[in-house]
Amino acid sequence: MGYNVSFAFAGEDFEKVVLEYGGFAPSEGDGAYWMVELPAMLRMLQAAARTGATATDVRLMLLKMIAGISERSGCCPDCDESIDSYERALREYREAVEKQQHEASMTPESHPYVVSSSGKIHTCTCQSKPGQRTIEHPGATLQEFTHRSRGHFYDAGVDSSAKRLTANELAAWLTRREVVKRCKLCEPALPGAYASEASDVESTARG
């Protein structure tokens, strides 16, 4: 990303100085990810030598130029662009936590089954733990979210397609399936008309 900035330093006006963000710029240290055009830097150093400005003055001016571009986030262009994404990630995280807490309140007696994203039926106590994944917080700050996950899409870590079901809910779900798939690990006993089905093979569902 390229930017043109104008400023005054050591008695001279600098117009449309080119700042470049990203690309081949170093990723560590002061001004990480930023590059400044060389002619402007040489002019700043000449002006500093002529007026008695110090290297610290030059450094602070450069940092001020960068900060002026990223006023929304107070960090960098990447953080500016991530503001909306970070707010969305926080919402997804809160929703994932609420979903996990709701499912944690379900008991093996009230909701004994889990149907995974592939349509396979498990008991809720199955050792494979279908649909249970660690929920990752997007980051305590916008900067942590942006720079820790630089270039990666945030995923709260919950498989929303895996569902906890009651026996009645599973029976109703089975009537809409052409194939019944049972987990070979936990071998769930199915409710109602499906109770006699073998648990370790795929079989044609009965209506």
Side-chain angles (χ1 to χ4, degrees), residues 60-80:
L60 292 176
M61 187 70 246
L62 292 172
L63 293 176
K64 183 178 180 180
M65 292 160 52
I66 294 170
I69 291 173
S70 302
E71 292 180 349
R72 288 184 66 205
S73 66
C75 184
C76 67
D78 280 341
C79 284
D80 286 355

PDB file of all heavy atoms in Angstrom, residues 60-80:
ATOM      1  N   LEU A  60      11.314  10.929  15.292  1.00  0.00           N
ATOM      2  CA  LEU A  60       9.969  11.267  15.754  1.00  0.00           C
ATOM      3  C   LEU A  60       9.095  11.774  14.613  1.00  0.00           C
ATOM      4  O   LEU A  60       7.895  11.492  14.573  1.00  0.00           O
ATOM      5  CB  LEU A  60      10.047  12.311  16.875  1.00  0.00           C
ATOM      6  CG  LEU A  60      10.662  11.830  18.190  1.00  0.00           C
ATOM      7  CD1 LEU A  60      10.777  12.989  19.182  1.00  0.00           C
ATOM      8  CD2 LEU A  60       9.829  10.700  18.790  1.00  0.00           C
ATOM      9  N   MET A  61       9.694  12.512  13.664  1.00  0.00           N
ATOM     10  CA  MET A  61       8.934  12.994  12.523  1.00  0.00           C
ATOM     11  C   MET A  61       8.448  11.831  11.654  1.00  0.00           C
ATOM     12  O   MET A  61       7.310  11.809  11.190  1.00  0.00           O
ATOM     13  CB  MET A  61       9.805  13.933  11.683  1.00  0.00           C
ATOM     14  CG  MET A  61       9.058  14.642  10.552  1.00  0.00           C
ATOM     15  SD  MET A  61       7.882  15.883  11.159  1.00  0.00           S
ATOM     16  CE  MET A  61       6.322  15.155  10.650  1.00  0.00           C
ATOM     17  N   LEU A  62       9.327  10.873  11.438  1.00  0.00           N
ATOM     18  CA  LEU A  62       8.952   9.709  10.636  1.00  0.00           C
ATOM     19  C   LEU A  62       7.832   8.912  11.315  1.00  0.00           C
ATOM     20  O   LEU A  62       6.874   8.477  10.658  1.00  0.00           O
ATOM     21  CB  LEU A  62      10.167   8.817  10.407  1.00  0.00           C
ATOM     22  CG  LEU A  62      11.271   9.405   9.517  1.00  0.00           C
ATOM     23  CD1 LEU A  62      12.499   8.514   9.542  1.00  0.00           C
ATOM     24  CD2 LEU A  62      10.771   9.594   8.080  1.00  0.00           C
ATOM     25  N   LEU A  63       7.950   8.709  12.620  1.00  0.00           N
ATOM     26  CA  LEU A  63       6.904   7.985  13.337  1.00  0.00           C
ATOM     27  C   LEU A  63       5.586   8.752  13.329  1.00  0.00           C
ATOM     28  O   LEU A  63       4.505   8.153  13.256  1.00  0.00           O
ATOM     29  CB  LEU A  63       7.352   7.716  14.783  1.00  0.00           C
ATOM     30  CG  LEU A  63       8.525   6.745  14.952  1.00  0.00           C
ATOM     31  CD1 LEU A  63       8.930   6.646  16.418  1.00  0.00           C
ATOM     32  CD2 LEU A  63       8.165   5.366  14.404  1.00  0.00           C
ATOM     33  N   LYS A  64       5.652  10.078  13.385  1.00  0.00           N
ATOM     34  CA  LYS A  64       4.443  10.901  13.325  1.00  0.00           C
ATOM     35  C   LYS A  64       3.766  10.759  11.961  1.00  0.00           C
ATOM     36  O   LYS A  64       2.539  10.703  11.866  1.00  0.00           O
ATOM     37  CB  LYS A  64       4.796  12.367  13.578  1.00  0.00           C
ATOM     38  CG  LYS A  64       3.601  13.294  13.608  1.00  0.00           C
ATOM     39  CD  LYS A  64       4.032  14.726  13.914  1.00  0.00           C
ATOM     40  CE  LYS A  64       2.827  15.666  13.932  1.00  0.00           C
ATOM     41  NZ  LYS A  64       3.250  17.065  14.230  1.00  0.00           N
ATOM     42  N   MET A  65       4.572  10.701  10.898  1.00  0.00           N
ATOM     43  CA  MET A  65       4.015  10.500   9.556  1.00  0.00           C
ATOM     44  C   MET A  65       3.249   9.187   9.475  1.00  0.00           C
ATOM     45  O   MET A  65       2.136   9.123   8.943  1.00  0.00           O
ATOM     46  CB  MET A  65       5.150  10.501   8.527  1.00  0.00           C
ATOM     47  CG  MET A  65       5.827  11.848   8.339  1.00  0.00           C
ATOM     48  SD  MET A  65       7.476  11.673   7.594  1.00  0.00           S
ATOM     49  CE  MET A  65       7.112  10.686   6.150  1.00  0.00           C
ATOM     50  N   ILE A  66       3.834   8.141  10.024  1.00  0.00           N
ATOM     51  CA  ILE A  66       3.187   6.824   9.994  1.00  0.00           C
ATOM     52  C   ILE A  66       1.903   6.828  10.804  1.00  0.00           C
ATOM     53  O   ILE A  66       0.862   6.322  10.368  1.00  0.00           O
ATOM     54  CB  ILE A  66       4.158   5.743  10.522  1.00  0.00           C
ATOM     55  CG1 ILE A  66       5.348   5.592   9.583  1.00  0.00           C
ATOM     56  CG2 ILE A  66       3.439   4.412  10.682  1.00  0.00           C
ATOM     57  CD1 ILE A  66       6.452   4.729  10.149  1.00  0.00           C
ATOM     58  N   ALA A  67       1.976   7.410  12.017  1.00  0.00           N
ATOM     59  CA  ALA A  67       0.803   7.430  12.892  1.00  0.00           C
ATOM     60  C   ALA A  67      -0.336   8.211  12.274  1.00  0.00           C
ATOM     61  O   ALA A  67      -1.511   7.869  12.455  1.00  0.00           O
ATOM     62  CB  ALA A  67       1.183   8.021  14.246  1.00  0.00           C
ATOM     63  N   GLY A  68      -0.012   9.256  11.516  1.00  0.00           N
ATOM     64  CA  GLY A  68      -1.062  10.057  10.893  1.00  0.00           C
ATOM     65  C   GLY A  68      -1.853   9.299   9.850  1.00  0.00           C
ATOM     66  O   GLY A  68      -3.018   9.612   9.591  1.00  0.00           O
ATOM     67  N   ILE A  69      -1.245   8.285   9.254  1.00  0.00           N
ATOM     68  CA  ILE A  69      -1.943   7.490   8.237  1.00  0.00           C
ATOM     69  C   ILE A  69      -2.921   6.525   8.890  1.00  0.00           C
ATOM     70  O   ILE A  69      -3.990   6.225   8.339  1.00  0.00           O
ATOM     71  CB  ILE A  69      -0.913   6.716   7.380  1.00  0.00           C
ATOM     72  CG1 ILE A  69      -0.129   7.707   6.521  1.00  0.00           C
ATOM     73  CG2 ILE A  69      -1.596   5.672   6.503  1.00  0.00           C
ATOM     74  CD1 ILE A  69       1.013   7.081   5.760  1.00  0.00           C
ATOM     75  N   SER A  70      -2.598   6.032  10.072  1.00  0.00           N
ATOM     76  CA  SER A  70      -3.398   4.989  10.721  1.00  0.00           C
ATOM     77  C   SER A  70      -4.083   5.508  11.983  1.00  0.00           C
ATOM     78  O   SER A  70      -3.986   4.922  13.057  1.00  0.00           O
ATOM     79  CB  SER A  70      -2.506   3.790  11.064  1.00  0.00           C
ATOM     80  OG  SER A  70      -1.893   3.291   9.902  1.00  0.00           O
ATOM     81  N   GLU A  71      -4.793   6.613  11.833  1.00  0.00           N
ATOM     82  CA  GLU A  71      -5.441   7.213  13.001  1.00  0.00           C
ATOM     83  C   GLU A  71      -6.599   6.369  13.522  1.00  0.00           C
ATOM     84  O   GLU A  71      -6.898   6.380  14.712  1.00  0.00           O
ATOM     85  CB  GLU A  71      -5.934   8.617  12.658  1.00  0.00           C
ATOM     86  CG  GLU A  71      -4.792   9.612  12.417  1.00  0.00           C
ATOM     87  CD  GLU A  71      -5.293  10.995  12.090  1.00  0.00           C
ATOM     88  OE1 GLU A  71      -6.517  11.120  11.847  1.00  0.00           O
ATOM     89  OE2 GLU A  71      -4.480  11.930  12.072  1.00  0.00           O
ATOM     90  N   ARG A  72      -7.274   5.623  12.655  1.00  0.00           N
ATOM     91  CA  ARG A  72      -8.431   4.832  13.104  1.00  0.00           C
ATOM     92  C   ARG A  72      -8.008   3.781  14.120  1.00  0.00           C
ATOM     93  O   ARG A  72      -8.658   3.604  15.153  1.00  0.00           O
ATOM     94  CB  ARG A  72      -9.120   4.153  11.919  1.00  0.00           C
ATOM     95  CG  ARG A  72      -9.893   5.088  11.013  1.00  0.00           C
ATOM     96  CD  ARG A  72     -10.605   4.289   9.952  1.00  0.00           C
ATOM     97  NE  ARG A  72     -11.636   3.432  10.522  1.00  0.00           N
ATOM     98  CZ  ARG A  72     -12.069   2.312   9.942  1.00  0.00           C
ATOM     99  NH1 ARG A  72     -11.537   1.876   8.827  1.00  0.00           N
ATOM    100  NH2 ARG A  72     -13.027   1.604  10.521  1.00  0.00           N
ATOM    101  N   SER A  73      -6.947   3.075  13.832  1.00  0.00           N
ATOM    102  CA  SER A  73      -6.511   2.005  14.726  1.00  0.00           C
ATOM    103  C   SER A  73      -5.390   2.449  15.656  1.00  0.00           C
ATOM    104  O   SER A  73      -5.164   1.828  16.689  1.00  0.00           O
ATOM    105  CB  SER A  73      -6.021   0.797  13.913  1.00  0.00           C
ATOM    106  OG  SER A  73      -4.839   1.127  13.193  1.00  0.00           O
ATOM    107  N   GLY A  74      -4.672   3.498  15.272  1.00  0.00           N
ATOM    108  CA  GLY A  74      -3.524   3.914  16.049  1.00  0.00           C
ATOM    109  C   GLY A  74      -2.340   2.994  15.892  1.00  0.00           C
ATOM    110  O   GLY A  74      -1.391   3.059  16.672  1.00  0.00           O
ATOM    111  N   CYS A  75      -2.380   2.117  14.867  1.00  0.00           N
ATOM    112  CA  CYS A  75      -1.282   1.152  14.697  1.00  0.00           C
ATOM    113  C   CYS A  75      -0.747   1.169  13.276  1.00  0.00           C
ATOM    114  O   CYS A  75       0.316   1.709  13.009  1.00  0.00           O
ATOM    115  CB  CYS A  75      -1.754  -0.249  15.083  1.00  0.00           C
ATOM    116  SG  CYS A  75      -0.437  -1.493  15.018  1.00  0.00           S
ATOM    117  N   CYS A  76      -1.488   0.582  12.335  1.00  0.00           N
ATOM    118  CA  CYS A  76      -0.978   0.432  10.973  1.00  0.00           C
ATOM    119  C   CYS A  76      -2.145   0.222  10.011  1.00  0.00           C
ATOM    120  O   CYS A  76      -3.277  -0.022  10.435  1.00  0.00           O
ATOM    121  CB  CYS A  76      -0.019  -0.753  10.902  1.00  0.00           C
ATOM    122  SG  CYS A  76      -0.832  -2.354  11.173  1.00  0.00           S
ATOM    123  N   PRO A  77      -1.899   0.301   8.699  1.00  0.00           N
ATOM    124  CA  PRO A  77      -2.973   0.076   7.728  1.00  0.00           C
ATOM    125  C   PRO A  77      -3.645  -1.291   7.846  1.00  0.00           C
ATOM    126  O   PRO A  77      -4.845  -1.419   7.613  1.00  0.00           O
ATOM    127  CB  PRO A  77      -2.259   0.228   6.378  1.00  0.00           C
ATOM    128  CG  PRO A  77      -1.134   1.169   6.661  1.00  0.00           C
ATOM    129  CD  PRO A  77      -0.661   0.786   8.043  1.00  0.00           C
ATOM    130  N   ASP A  78      -2.870  -2.319   8.191  1.00  0.00           N
ATOM    131  CA  ASP A  78      -3.474  -3.643   8.362  1.00  0.00           C
ATOM    132  C   ASP A  78      -4.513  -3.618   9.478  1.00  0.00           C
ATOM    133  O   ASP A  78      -5.592  -4.203   9.348  1.00  0.00           O
ATOM    134  CB  ASP A  78      -2.402  -4.691   8.681  1.00  0.00           C
ATOM    135  CG  ASP A  78      -1.663  -5.158   7.440  1.00  0.00           C
ATOM    136  OD1 ASP A  78      -2.193  -4.966   6.337  1.00  0.00           O
ATOM    137  OD2 ASP A  78      -0.568  -5.701   7.589  1.00  0.00           O
ATOM    138  N   CYS A  79      -4.183  -2.940  10.571  1.00  0.00           N
ATOM    139  CA  CYS A  79      -5.139  -2.838  11.679  1.00  0.00           C
ATOM    140  C   CYS A  79      -6.348  -2.003  11.279  1.00  0.00           C
ATOM    141  O   CYS A  79      -7.476  -2.298  11.669  1.00  0.00           O
ATOM    142  CB  CYS A  79      -4.463  -2.252  12.919  1.00  0.00           C
ATOM    143  SG  CYS A  79      -3.383  -3.429  13.778  1.00  0.00           S
ATOM    144  N   ASP A  80      -6.121  -0.940  10.506  1.00  0.00           N
ATOM    145  CA  ASP A  80      -7.252  -0.140  10.009  1.00  0.00           C
ATOM    146  C   ASP A  80      -8.232  -1.021   9.238  1.00  0.00           C
ATOM    147  O   ASP A  80      -9.442  -0.949   9.433  1.00  0.00           O
ATOM    148  CB  ASP A  80      -6.753   0.976   9.096  1.00  0.00           C
ATOM    149  CG  ASP A  80      -6.090   2.104   9.865  1.00  0.00           C
ATOM    150  OD1 ASP A  80      -6.109   2.061  11.116  1.00  0.00           O
ATOM    151  OD2 ASP A  80      -5.557   3.020   9.221  1.00  0.00           O
TER     152      ASP A  80
END
